[in-house]
Amino acid sequence: MSPVVQKALSRIESLGRVSDSPSHLVRTFLSSANLRAARLVLGWMEELGMETSHAADGTIRGVFPGTTEETRPLLLGSHLDTVIDAGRYDGALGIIAALAALETMVESGGAPAFPVHVLGFSDEEGIRFQTTYLGSRPLAAPLDAASLAATDADGITLAEAIAREGWHEGAVPIRYEPGSLLGYVELHIEQGRVLEEEGLAACAVTAIAGQSRLRVSLTGRADHAGTTPMPLRRDALCGAAECILAAESLARETPPLVVTVGRIEVHPGASNSVPQSALFTIDLRHPDDAARTDALTRLEHRMRSIATNRGLSLQWMPVQDGNAVVCDPALTSRLLDAAESVTGTRLGLASGAGHDAVALSAICPVGMIFVRCRGGLSHHPDEHASPEDIAAGIGVLARFLQSPLC
Ligand code: HGY
Ligand code: MN
Ligand code: MN
């Protein structure tokens, strides 16, 4: 294991200890841990001699100069934030591997022919506001009004959070014009099982599934748990339960559609009161955009008829829609070359998970590298990529940086 890879492995451990909770790993938009993580990684960028900067939302950037007259940078990186009770690799590995790949080149006396900018995005998971790509979308354009109006569990809007909690001191907008970049390449754990089944350490990514995120609220009537006969109830939680099972059966009926309800809030939340209202999230994904929007329409129809039959009112509140993205064939071909030189195999996989590459695809060609993760487990504290596979991923990225992109 090279000293560069050893350092990358210890950095994964260090970053994995930066959390907003003493009991599990969690870093969310503008949380204190997320800003501490940003500062920690900025220090690593400066150790590599990079010129660093940060945006008010906590996104960070390190700039490594090229060695030719090519001025268009290649962007590398991933996200600093995590889900709740997260693994140490989702996001973090992409940033740390980018720095390690650059350092690998420098250690062997090389340097990229083009400028390389490494980004640590403040928020990709969207845990606080149920939105996604909050750190990477501003590289292309200012966040839209609907996103800025999104509220967190305390009713704080995204705009208020940035104004009140933003890292404003010394902040600069990190923005790129379309056509001004060679591309964006992100290394990420696969978060699936295919590489493990294929016995491969790493591969390229061909496409990223589209996703729809929304909230549904059902409202009935609070009642006494002991004195209200079942036929007279308008129980919002039972209605939500039937809706959630309808979502699950729709997804089971129409693979590869996947639908997840990850969060539900019930009011009044008393064990001896019939629930008056239930608010739950929906995360719906499909590799094909038309199939995704068709599934959304069918699901809304099913849920509305469940609500009507139960005497409940239903609010269907879209939060964010993101179309599927095809990775750039030219970049992907270079990534396949690099992956083949390290693993001996050319494999391209589609991603069911979303990545910041989706947001960057608005302004430049994008490509991704997947690194095998144990059992495909992710969004879980036992998420794990082996040192050997991380070394292979860094090797693929370092090899890719030597390819003639310009
Ligand atoms: O939800 C996702 O696909 C990613 O982990 N943000
Ligand atoms: Mn994730
Ligand atoms: Mn991720």
Side-chain angles (χ1 to χ4, degrees), residues 116-348:
V116 174
H117 295 188
V118 176
L119 283 300
F121 298 114
S122 58
D123 182 279
E124 184 275 339
E125 300 289 1
I127 297 304
R128 180 174 174 184
F129 291 97
Q130 208 204 347
T131 55
T132 189
Y133 314 137
L134 288 183
S136 43
R137 279 194 277 153
L139 270 66
L143 290 173
D144 57 289
S147 297
L148 290 168
T151 53
D152 65 7
D154 300 323
I156 296 171
T157 67
L158 173 56
E160 287 163 346
I162 295 171
R164 289 183 203 161
E165 308 159 31
W167 183 5
H168 296 290
E169 191 190 345
V172 295
I174 300 178
R175 178 73 44 80
Y176 296 92
E177 292 308 316
S180 68
L181 298 166
L182 289 175
Y184 170 75
V185 168
E186 178 172 359
L187 180 144
H188 206 286
I189 50 170
E190 178 196 348
Q191 300 175 304
R193 293 168 178 76
V194 175
L195 285 176
E196 198 169 52
E197 283 157 11
E198 296 288 333
L200 274 179
C203 74
V205 177
T206 54
I208 303 166
Q211 55 176 287
S212 298
R213 297 187 176 196
L214 53 138
R215 290 173 184 164
V216 175
S217 86
L218 287 166
T219 307
R221 186 185 59 220
D223 264 319
H224 194 296
T227 58
T228 313
M230 295 310 282
L232 299 184
R233 295 181 178 209
R234 287 167 44 214
D235 183 328
L237 185 50
C238 287
E242 190 176 348
C243 285
I244 293 166
L245 289 176
E248 183 189 45
S249 56
L250 175 69
R252 285 183 187 280
E253 288 156 15
T254 42
L257 177 71
V258 285
V259 184
T260 311
V261 174
R263 185 186 172 116
I264 186 164
E265 293 157 28
V266 179
H267 178 80
S271 63
N272 58 349
S273 296
V274 174
Q276 173 178 315
S277 63
L279 171 68
F280 57 90
T281 60
I282 293 180
D283 176 314
L284 184 146
R285 308 197 191 188
H286 197 290
D288 176 276
D289 292 330
R292 177 169 52 83
T293 42
D294 174 56
L296 266 178
T297 306
R298 289 165 59 198
L299 185 56
E300 180 179 2
H301 181 74
R302 281 200 195 181
M303 289 192 174
R304 287 195 182 283
S305 60
I306 290 167
T308 305
N309 295 341
R310 287 175 167 269
L312 303 173
S313 64
L314 180 145
Q315 260 197 297
W316 181 266
M317 299 171 275
V319 174
Q320 193 169 356
D321 263 326
N323 281 343
V325 163
V326 176
C327 293
D328 178 73
L331 274 186
T332 304
S333 157
R334 299 266 188 232
L335 288 165
L336 285 168
D337 294 343
E340 186 176 24
S341 69
V342 174
T343 68
T345 308
R346 298 174 76 83
L347 175 69

Side-chain angles (χ1 to χ4, degrees), residues 79 81-83 90-91 124-125 188 191 353-355 378-379 383:
H79 55 95
D81 69 314
T82 72
V83 291
D90 181 359
E124 184 275 339
E125 300 289 1
H188 206 286
Q191 300 175 304
H355 303 287
S378 181
H379 287 191
E383 180 184 273

